[in-house]
Amino acid sequence: LYRLLAAFYFEEFDLAAMLVQDIQDMSKSNRAPNTIWRCALLEGLTAFTLFQRKKSRKWKAHATKITSKVREWVKKGAVNCNHILLMLEAETAVLNGDKELAKQKYDAAITASARVGFIHDRALANERAGKYMFHLGDKYLAFHYLNVAIQLYSRWGANAKAEHLLSKYKILLDEHHTPAMNKTVDRRWTWLASKGKSVNSDMELRSRRRSFTMRS
């Protein structure tokens, strides 16, 4: 599970594709519900991402299957899965090219994650929304979502992930920088500079990825 977490969060999707089978096997075990739900979220988002990249019907069918499974859990009263379902429904809207519905679902997922206190999933929903808006060329909304994602990842303690986003979207963040909206980003850049670090160093990011741990 943790290998898939790291592969997914740091966008190493070829590795993530290989690890999905392990997650499928885990989901059939007698593990705690929270672990099974976490597996479903990662498995679903990985499938959606791989379909977008490879245009493989296999991954689209898998993403649809996971979404249906989570929907059934929510119908049966698994309230802590509601934000997961909303995130997967947002991804479905993305595949269908429905920007307004995708934004609505991402926003609902962000709110639902906050309601149950899952700051990491709130960060993830913001990140996915930001990436989608960036892909569409809506730089204002992309900045808004990605800026919030970086702040939330930093608050959660996932500094390597925050640095990863800072590095990948540095130009966007610089273009739309405002002191009031971007204080956390300022602090991250200042901290990195004080340590003589460059977030553009692939070697440094890979080193940090190995020490990356997810806390739920």
Side-chain angles (χ1 to χ4, degrees):
L1 173 59
Y2 292 105
R3 291 181 65 199
L4 179 57
L5 278 166
F8 177 81
Y9 273 87
F10 291 103
E11 303 180 59
E12 296 178 358
F13 292 110
D14 288 337
L15 175 59
M18 296 171 57
L19 294 171
V20 161
Q21 182 59 50
D22 295 335
I23 293 299
Q24 289 177 293
D25 294 339
M26 185 182 295
S27 66
K28 298 174 184 176
S29 67
N30 293 321
R31 292 180 179 263
N34 286 340
T35 301
I36 302 301
W37 299 337
R38 183 64 38 194
C39 289
L41 174 61
L42 290 171
E43 192 177 343
L45 292 180
T46 298
F48 276 111
T49 302
L50 288 170
F51 173 72
Q52 292 170 20
R53 287 170 173 251
K54 301 177 181 294
K55 303 305 179 184
S56 168
R57 292 182 180 179
K58 177 185 95 171
W59 290 114
K60 184 177 182 180
H62 194 65
T64 301
K65 177 182 176 181
I66 295 298
T67 303
S68 297
K69 180 190 294 186
V70 175
R71 185 173 290 113
E72 286 301 313
W73 291 344
V74 172
K75 285 181 179 178
K76 292 179 180 178
V79 293
N80 283 347
C81 285
N82 189 47
H83 69 288
I84 295 176
L85 176 60
L86 290 165
M87 218 181 301
L88 296 178
E89 289 178 339
E91 299 290 327
T92 300
V94 169
L95 291 190
N96 293 333
D98 192 334
K99 177 183 176 181
E100 292 306 316
L101 181 59
K103 183 180 183 303
Q104 176 186 331
K105 292 291 185 177
Y106 279 129
D107 287 344
I110 290 165
T111 300
S113 299
R115 187 175 296 120
V116 293
F118 291 164
I119 189 173
H120 49 312
D121 289 340
R122 185 179 163 200
L124 179 58
N126 273 284
E127 178 188 354
R128 298 292 289 190
K131 287 180 175 179
Y132 177 52
M133 295 304 165
F134 185 80
H135 173 73
L136 293 178
D138 190 332
K139 292 186 176 182
Y140 176 79
L141 281 178
F143 170 79
H144 166 73
Y145 285 116
L146 290 168
N147 182 55
V148 173
I150 291 167
Q151 293 184 43
L152 291 171
Y153 281 128
S154 295
R155 283 172 52 193
W156 185 38
N159 294 326
K161 177 61 181 179
E163 291 166 25
H164 173 72
L165 291 179
L166 281 167
S167 174
K168 183 173 182 178
Y169 296 102
K170 182 179 185 302
I171 294 175
L172 173 71
L173 294 168
D174 286 347
E175 285 178 351
H176 295 268
H177 170 83
T178 59
M181 294 179 69
N182 215 17
K183 290 181 180 178
T184 298
V185 174
D186 276 345
R187 286 196 294 270
R188 295 299 303 154
W189 281 119
T190 301
W191 180 83
L192 288 168
S194 72
K195 299 295 182 181
K197 297 180 182 295
S198 169
V199 296
N200 292 315
S201 168
D202 290 338
M203 183 177 297
E204 179 185 85
L205 283 175
R206 288 184 180 276
S207 174
R208 289 180 176 275
R209 288 173 194 175
R210 287 195 291 270
S211 63
F212 177 72
T213 57
M214 312 301 295
R215 291 179 289 177
S216 56

